[in-house]
Amino acid sequence: MASVGDRFKTGETCAASGVYGFDGYTNGASVPPPTQEERVISLQRGEAFPPIRSSNRGAYWRLHRLH
C-alpha cells in the first residue's frame, strides 16, 4: 500500500488510487515544464504511471492524496 508522499515513476503500476503530482523528469531535465493539465493526475490502482506526453519524457509522480 502506498502512503502520501511516496514517489513513483513512469511505467510503474499504481498501488493505491489517488491524486499524484508531477515530481520531476526521470532523466533529470527541468525543461520543458509539463502542461498545466499534466501536473496533477488521478490514477486508479492497477493503472500505469504515464509519461509527460507533451515532452515525451518519463516522469516521477508523488502521491498527494488517497481516494
Side-chain angles (χ1 to χ4, degrees):
M1 185 70 168
S3 299
V4 171
D6 287 353
R7 194 177 193 210
F8 306 90
K9 68 179 181 178
T10 294
E12 290 184 337
T13 301
C14 179
S17 299
V19 175
Y20 294 82
F22 173 75
D23 196 41
Y25 290 113
T26 56
N27 68 359
S30 59
V31 292
T35 65
Q36 191 66 30
E37 295 79 23
E38 293 174 309
R39 292 176 188 265
V40 177
I41 60 172
S42 181
L43 285 180
Q44 298 298 313
R45 185 175 184 206
E47 292 183 309
F49 286 93
I52 298 298
R53 297 200 193 315
S54 63
S55 63
N56 197 29
R57 293 186 180 171
Y60 289 109
W61 298 97
R62 190 167 303 272
L63 178 57
H64 289 286
R65 186 175 71 242
L66 292 168
H67 280 237

